[in-house]
Amino acid sequence: MIPYGRQEISPGDIEAVVATLGSDWLTQGPAVPRFEAMVAGFCGARHGVAVNSATSALHLACLALGLGPGDRLWTSPNTFVASANCALYCGATVDFVDIDPRTYNMSTEALQRKLQQAEGLGCLPKIVVPVHFAGQSCDMQAIHALAQRYGFRIIEDASHAIGGAYQGQPIGDGRFADLTVFSFHPVKIVTTAEGGMVLTHQTPLYERMARLRSHGITRDPESMAGESEGPWYYEQIELGYNYRLTDIQAALGASQMGQLQNFVAKRRQLAARYGESLADLPLTLPWQHPDSDSAWHLYVVCLRLEQIRSSRLQVFNALRAAGIGVNVHYIPVHTQPYYRKLGFKVGDFPESERYYAGALSLPLFPTLTDAQQEYVVDTLRHLLT
Ligand SMILES: *Cc1c(COP(=O)(O)O)cnc(C)c1O
């Protein structure tokens, strides 16, 4: 089976991990700050906080911005559930902003309309979480302008987008967001097996997240409520978690970062090749905004269901039967049973539902061979014509 995504682990990655296993530190050693500095340096951010998943990163990001009961967080329905769940962990409420039918990202126009209404009703969000779907940046300049006007904070869910650029600058550089979150799950662009990171320029947010990552404990006398009782002394000054990344994982991540530009270049090349060879099929191919240089986490085609005889399910099953591990990203979050219990229903965000009905993610990862890609294209052509 050709999967839709997979990691690429080099001999150098394996050496880096093995070296850590033989070192003094399996966790809380030097590899984590080194990895943080590499990612922050690559993206042009001041600080990075590495954690054990992007889900944890989103949770810490919300806590650092003071999200709590009575507050609201808005995100895109076309995302993995974690982008919304982070608000619920904090006791806040979630709402969604429908997508742009061209980019499948949060629509800036829909956001503006919803903010106008919310201002009238006195229920503006505290945080908006734009999700850079498939690796393409949202329209961050416009979202940032709305944040200035309506007073919300921005957490970019860039789980798909490390190595991508917006207006010629790396995603994660913090020009238009308070915080940027990356995921290092194996299907993402670079991996630590499980892992995530939050980037920010804002030192107080960085310090808060670093403390919350490790139980809310501080060893900094400046932050303590009392006097230090000796060199062993620490204080827990708030309720934190154990969201730490291990040194083993950070060593893998740092080694993978050395390949990031090659990985993204390969993904761009494969995406361009799909674009050329699928152009005449009854498919809507990914549309790229001129401001965006996608990291191409996913290559999503939308079946033009009115032009083909088969259903999406039939095409999906036929591809799987042919050994092609297609997938679907994403089931709109508001239609999940858990979110329906919170009051959302099918029909609430029609663009994301229309998109979902035809979407299909084709295999895309750096080691996908030309022959494999041709096989995917030929199989799809055979099924659709
Ligand atoms: C993968 C993903 C996450 C969660 O990442 P984990 O590292 O698995 O916790 C969150 N948001 C989006 C958009 C994702 O794709």
Side-chain angles (χ1 to χ4, degrees), residues 53-55 58 79-80 82-83 131 157 159-160 183 185 188 195 330:
S53 70
T55 304
L58 286 162
T79 187
F80 186 56
S83 316
V131 180
D157 185 342
S159 291
H160 298 182
S183 171
H185 184 277
K188 305 290 166 66
Y330 285 98

Side-chain angles (χ1 to χ4, degrees), residues 331-367:
I331 305 164
V333 177
H334 67 283
T335 68
Q336 293 289 351
Y338 188 84
Y339 279 87
R340 290 197 210 197
K341 274 193 259 166
L342 298 177
F344 296 101
K345 54 189 189 310
V346 172
D348 283 350
F349 302 99
E351 291 296 351
S352 68
E353 294 167 29
R354 203 171 0 258
Y355 156 78
Y356 165 63
L360 207 53
S361 303
L362 303 184
L364 180 65
F365 49 91
T367 53

